[in-house]
Amino acid sequence: MIEFLIFTLVGCFFGIITGITPGIHINLVAVILLAVSPYLFKYFSPVSVACLIVAMSITHTFLDFIPSIFLGAPDDETALSVLPGHKLLLRGMAYEAVRLTLIGSLFCLVITIALIPLLLKIVPWIYLTIKDYIGWILLAVVLYMIFKSGNPNKIFWSAFVFTLSGILGLITFNLGLKDPLFPLFSGMFGISMLFMSIFEKVVIPTQRVTEMIKIKKKNIGKALGASIFSGTIVSIFPGLGPAQAAVMGSQLVGRIGIYSYLILVGGINTVSMLIALVTTFTINKARNGSIAVVQQMLQSTDLKYLVVFVAVALITGGIATFLCLWLARVFATLINIINYQLLCVIIISLIISLVFYFSGFLGLLVLIISTLIGFIPPLIPVPRTQMMGCLLLPVILYFIL
Amino acid sequence: MEEKLLLKIALVCSIAGIFLLFIFSNEIPQNEKTINNLQNNENVVLKGKIIKIDDKDDLLIAELSQYNKINVVIYKKSYLDLRVNDNIEVTGTTTEYNDKLEITADEVRLI
């Protein structure tokens, strides 16, 4: 028990690093741990190391909105939170934006864990029932997203941005890059927005640590329900993830406003991580890189491990809540001191360096093209979610063809 | 939603998690291993599915599979009615035989 607890705490520490550092993904740390596992297993049990990875992954899902909202540097799981997060940043309410994503994360953690006994029974059934139709379901969602405005000009540009992003996604996934999503999402959702902040000489107002935002309980319920439903459905299938769940969830609940939307996207990552554990122990398929490493380490689907990981997730969720609020306060204080234009330049340089380090010149090329595509939606304007075509088009083609 | 409420829920979560871990961590033997990380001459608890049985005079060699495979030597005094596709938990010691690790079982139970 003590060993599990210690490894859980170490996992939380790793989760802080991956959560607040743009470009450092949990999968990277998990793979490093797998590489050194023969050495680690001489001294520690595989379950303890697996607890570390679960704790790191859960902490990461709580904290990864901080760089996304304060710095505009998202990863693939938080890309859709950048714009609403940035809106609140420009109102001096970035701390509140993080708090909203935290509400989503914490409540989705608790509710999803409470639902696990039910999920253990229905996940295999859902998988078998809709696995042959998932491509068509996604296609229907995409067509709805494109046509819902009803304005022919917007429909054209939505379809254009979706197709352009989709083609870039298809090409990028065939380039053999180490982490193809990093340059794709950083360009479309991160660097393009940071450049616009520089060009428009955006001045970040003083960030306030307040609790002014009040949301109707009904909207919180809607957001959490959509998070859990879409996060569960999407996480059962390969090639899909939190980003698609966010698109699906927001379409499900309709207009709920950016506050509730932040709760929705905040919860999805956590749901997705927990469902990856459930799919590992039910259909023997880990739908997440770090959980796949856990599966490889344990090589067992005994449910008692799942109970231990649920316990670790609960402990971690509690700790990560405190950490998230504290780190958001630190970021809110620091961003008041730092010159925002300079910060944008530093973040852009950091992302470029990381992309070059992980993916070389091809990665940089993808980053440049995705950044150029990222400029289109706000200029037309069409929703930035159309750029999710970079993931959705390859996934739809994978399932349909 | 007030921050205080969030922090209270977080605290309850952590305490519930510790309680759950306290109860269920005892269910996991600390020396439980996977085929991937076995060392020679160590006491192990290993689970897996029997994919092949070789019945010798006084012993049974069961090939146990998780994702990799390992032979388990089971003396017939501890003989259970083992069959291919049975899931078992083996407690025993690893030994090297013909440059390959195998487990000499002290105890075998069906799971």
Side-chain angles (χ1 to χ4, degrees):
Chain A
M1 153 113 181
I2 299 296
E3 187 175 307
F4 293 161
L5 266 180
I6 293 169
F7 273 79
T8 302
L9 293 176
V10 176
C12 288
F13 175 72
F14 281 8
I16 296 174
I17 295 169
T18 62
I20 64 169
T21 316
I24 308 288
H25 201 271
I26 42 172
N27 292 356
L28 180 73
V29 181
V31 169
I32 292 171
L33 285 170
L34 183 66
V36 297
S37 63
Y39 180 75
L40 284 174
F41 293 164
K42 280 185 190 170
Y43 306 100
F44 309 109
S45 94
V47 190
S48 302
V49 183
C51 286
L52 185 156
I53 295 174
V54 172
M56 172 182 72
S57 305
I58 296 289
T59 308
H60 179 92
T61 67
F62 275 62
L63 303 184
D64 59 352
F65 290 95
I66 295 176
S68 163
I69 290 167
F70 279 98
L71 310 176
D75 58 16
D76 51 313
E77 291 156 4
T78 60
L80 293 178
S81 69
V82 174
L83 201 60
H86 197 68
K87 271 184 187 167
L88 292 187
L89 178 75
L90 296 179
R91 290 186 210 160
M93 297 161 83
Y95 176 82
E96 296 244 36
V98 174
R99 195 169 59 85
L100 292 171
T101 65
L102 180 63
I103 291 172
S105 297
L106 183 62
F107 276 82
C108 281
L109 177 91
V110 175
I111 298 168
T112 310
I113 285 176
L115 289 174
I116 279 181
L118 177 69
L119 290 168
L120 287 172
K121 294 212 180 324
I122 65 167
V123 161
W125 178 79
I126 294 173
Y127 177 68
L128 292 172
T129 308
I130 61 173
K131 70 172 179 176
D132 294 333
Y133 309 104
I134 192 72
W136 299 105
I137 294 170
L138 284 176
L139 184 62
V141 171
V142 166
L143 290 175
Y144 173 74
M145 277 165 57
I146 291 173
F147 284 93
K148 73 172 179 177
S149 71
N151 177 333
N153 189 42
K154 279 200 171 179
I155 290 172
F156 169 79
W157 282 106
S158 294
F160 177 76
V161 172
F162 180 87
T163 313
L164 198 62
S165 310
I167 292 168
L168 179 64
L170 280 170
I171 295 169
T172 307
F173 290 125
N174 287 301
L175 288 176
L177 299 180
K178 248 188 194 170
D179 187 0
L181 292 179
F182 184 49
L184 261 182
F185 283 104
S186 298
M188 285 177 179
F189 296 96
I191 291 191
S192 58
M193 197 192 68
L194 292 170
F195 266 124
M196 290 184 97
S197 297
I198 294 171
F199 295 147
E200 290 166 6
K201 297 199 166 83
V202 166
V203 178
I204 298 295
T206 305
Q207 296 300 311
R208 301 179 299 271
V209 179
T210 53
E211 290 184 57
M212 292 193 307
I213 295 175
K214 305 281 179 224
I215 311 172
K216 286 179 188 168
K217 282 184 181 159
K218 187 179 147 195
N219 279 351
I220 295 178
K222 270 186 177 181
L224 293 175
S227 273
I228 292 165
F229 179 77
S230 55
T232 302
I233 297 291
V234 161
S235 305
I236 294 173
F237 296 95
L240 305 176
Q244 290 91 340
V247 176
M248 190 197 269
S250 56
Q251 300 304 323
L252 278 175
V253 289
R255 288 178 188 278
I256 51 171
I258 59 169
Y259 300 155
S260 302
Y261 181 76
L262 281 165
I263 294 178
L264 189 152
V265 290
I268 282 173
N269 291 358
T270 311
V271 174
S272 178
M273 199 57 75
L274 291 168
I275 298 299
L277 280 173
V278 173
T279 58
T280 304
F281 287 88
T282 49
I283 54 176
N284 207 6
K285 295 182 191 306
R287 300 301 193 202
N288 177 291
S290 64
I291 303 300
V293 171
V294 168
Q295 186 187 31
Q296 218 168 329
M297 283 180 175
L298 291 183
Q299 303 201 351
S300 167
T301 52
D302 194 324
L303 281 180
K304 73 185 176 203
Y305 293 119
L306 180 62
V307 179
V308 167
F309 295 148
V310 163
V312 168
L314 277 171
I315 298 168
T316 308
I319 296 171
T321 302
F322 286 88
L323 284 172
C324 185
L325 289 172
W326 176 69
L327 285 166
R329 278 172 202 266
V330 172
F331 269 71
T333 311
L334 286 178
I335 210 157
N336 287 336
I337 306 164
I338 297 167
N339 177 337
Y340 187 65
Q341 312 295 327
L342 180 67
L343 183 66
C344 289
V345 173
I346 292 169
I347 296 162
I348 291 170
S349 313
L350 177 71
I351 292 172
I352 291 171
S353 313
L354 286 169
V355 167
F356 183 69
Y357 178 75
F358 287 118
S359 310
F361 283 108
L362 276 177
L364 281 184
L365 187 64
V366 172
L367 184 72
I368 292 167
I369 299 170
S370 60
T371 303
L372 292 174
I373 294 175
F375 286 129
I376 303 173
L379 295 175
I380 303 297
V382 291
R384 280 178 171 241
T385 48
Q386 300 299 354
M387 290 189 292
M388 292 310 292
C390 67
L391 263 188
L392 287 172
L393 189 64
V395 171
I396 289 169
L397 293 177
Y398 168 82
F399 279 107
I400 290 179
L401 297 180
Chain B
M1 187 166 294
E2 285 184 17
E3 216 167 277
K4 270 185 187 171
L5 178 63
L6 273 181
L7 294 175
K8 274 181 193 168
I9 295 169
L11 195 63
V12 171
C13 268
S14 287
I15 292 168
I18 291 171
F19 182 67
L20 208 60
L21 193 64
F22 176 71
I23 293 170
F24 283 92
S25 60
N26 296 328
E27 297 283 315
I28 295 176
Q30 288 299 302
N31 58 343
E32 185 162 329
K33 296 278 180 176
T34 63
I35 292 173
N36 267 358
N37 52 60
L38 293 175
Q39 314 277 328
N40 189 16
N41 201 20
E42 63 174 348
N43 294 324
V44 292
V45 179
L46 192 76
K47 281 185 189 143
K49 187 186 258 188
I50 298 176
I51 53 164
K52 194 175 152 192
I53 291 182
D54 192 1
D55 200 344
K56 306 272 185 191
D57 288 343
D58 57 342
L59 54 84
L60 198 72
I61 299 175
E63 193 171 23
L64 198 65
S65 164
Q66 289 174 330
Y67 290 89
N68 296 320
K69 295 164 193 167
I70 192 166
N71 281 341
V72 180
V73 180
I74 306 164
Y75 287 96
K76 282 193 175 170
K77 60 180 179 185
S78 63
Y79 185 81
L80 283 164
D81 185 17
L82 295 175
R83 289 171 192 178
V84 170
N85 286 333
D86 278 347
N87 283 302
I88 57 168
E89 183 183 89
V90 178
T91 307
T93 315
T94 51
T95 46
E96 212 170 84
Y97 180 72
N98 282 348
D99 290 335
K100 280 172 83 178
L101 276 182
E102 61 180 26
I103 299 173
T104 306
D106 297 326
E107 194 188 329
V108 179
R109 74 180 180 94
L110 285 165
I111 51 172

